[in-house]
Amino acid sequence: MITLEGNMNLGGLILLIIIIMVGPPIVLSILGFIIRKNNPKAAKILYILSGIYLLIGLGICGSMMA
């Protein structure tokens, strides 16, 4: 089992996992805000996808980090 103590520097790995958890929902939300005026139905779908991705990402990746 890999621990965060000792000579191993796992800060980059933890940062990568956090980016994978939070990055795509942020991008989807930004895209939703951009297209909200032209196509509100598509923006709503992007918001829902963003929320689902965030929920699953924090659940699965968060449980792996604990």
Side-chain angles (χ1 to χ4, degrees):
M1 186 167 159
I2 299 174
T3 62
L4 295 177
E5 301 170 356
N7 294 333
M8 299 171 68
N9 185 7
L10 298 177
L13 180 63
I14 292 174
L15 182 63
L16 179 67
I17 291 173
I18 290 173
I19 289 172
I20 290 172
M21 285 190 303
V22 183
I26 291 173
V27 171
L28 288 172
S29 296
I30 291 171
L31 286 174
F33 281 119
I34 291 172
I35 67 166
R36 183 174 52 179
K37 290 183 180 180
N38 296 336
N39 198 350
K41 189 172 182 177
K44 185 186 247 186
I45 292 172
L46 286 175
Y47 296 146
I48 292 170
L49 287 175
S50 172
I52 291 172
Y53 192 100
L54 186 63
L55 183 68
I56 292 172
L58 289 176
I60 294 172
C61 294
S63 67
M64 287 191 316
M65 287 181 62

